[in-house]
Amino acid sequence: GTLILIAPNVESLLPTIVSRCQKIPFHPLSTPDLKMVLQRLGHPDLLQDEQLIRMAQGSPGLAIQYWEKRQTIPLEVIQACQSLPQNAKEALEWARQIDKALEMELQLWLLDYLQQQYWSSYGNAEILKPLEQAKTYLTSYAQPQLVWEVTFLKLTALRV
């Protein structure tokens, strides 16, 4: 018989197990291959969102999962966050809107989406730091609207 053992890396397994196994590495799909698979699976709308394609990093399953999450976020929230907030009033309004509209799981996902969005738009690592801090605070049970307010105010100060 054949047993397939899947592990994140070889170091996570005991050496005695590794010595009895044949390693078969799986690599992420290239972007064209990922798009072809998504097309065949019946997700042509997903192909239009380059952010989600990049976030999926070659995984059709992740791309579909991210697409489904993105569909649950109100369009006005996604549109508002496409660029950095222009001023403090806008930053505070976005924070209120996100806190009111999204459950915690979606707020955490939105941070990942914004990191991808801002990195591809600005290419500035300094912009990613407040978003990473926000993840830490949100997972530490800080008040979500306050976390978003501080994050967006920091991003307002970093506007490029």
Side-chain angles (χ1 to χ4, degrees):
T2 301
L3 177 67
I4 298 174
L5 175 64
I6 299 173
N9 55 46
V10 175
E11 292 77 29
S12 65
L13 300 171
L14 293 171
T16 55
I17 294 174
V18 173
S19 69
R20 292 169 174 83
C21 294
Q22 178 182 5
K23 267 196 313 188
I24 303 173
F26 291 91
H27 302 286
L29 296 175
S30 67
T31 301
D33 289 342
L34 175 62
K35 288 182 176 183
M36 181 182 67
V37 168
L38 292 171
Q39 183 71 36
R40 285 185 182 170
L41 291 174
H43 295 280
D45 292 343
L46 197 155
L47 300 174
Q48 306 308 312
D49 194 327
E50 289 297 321
Q51 291 302 110
L52 294 179
I53 297 292
R54 282 192 290 272
M55 280 179 68
Q57 298 178 351
S59 169
L62 279 179
I64 294 167
Q65 179 184 348
Y66 293 161
W67 174 255
E68 290 169 352
K69 284 188 181 196
R70 177 144 171 344
Q71 298 311 304
T72 63
I73 297 176
L75 187 57
E76 59 271 7
V77 171
I78 294 292
Q79 288 175 338
C81 297
Q82 291 300 313
S83 60
L84 297 175
Q86 300 295 311
N87 53 50
K89 181 180 177 187
E90 191 174 73
L92 297 174
E93 176 57 31
W94 290 4
R96 185 189 64 72
Q97 197 175 20
I98 289 169
D99 181 51
K100 184 178 175 184
L102 304 180
E103 297 293 327
M104 183 58 61
E105 179 186 346
L106 283 176
Q107 289 186 31
L108 292 168
W109 182 84
L110 182 61
L111 285 168
D112 289 335
Y113 184 81
L114 293 177
Q115 283 182 313
Q116 180 65 45
Q117 171 71 31
Y118 295 162
W119 178 254
S120 62
S121 295
Y122 304 105
N124 181 349
E126 289 301 310
I127 291 174
L128 304 181
K129 288 179 183 177
L131 297 170
E132 274 302 312
Q133 284 180 325
K135 273 191 216 176
T136 302
Y137 295 142
L138 287 175
T139 56
S140 300
Y141 305 105
Q143 204 283 331
Q145 185 171 339
L146 180 59
V147 171
W148 284 103
E149 287 172 353
V150 169
T151 301
F152 285 139
L153 288 171
K154 284 180 181 178
L155 289 174
T156 301
L158 291 172
R159 266 187 55 235
V160 214

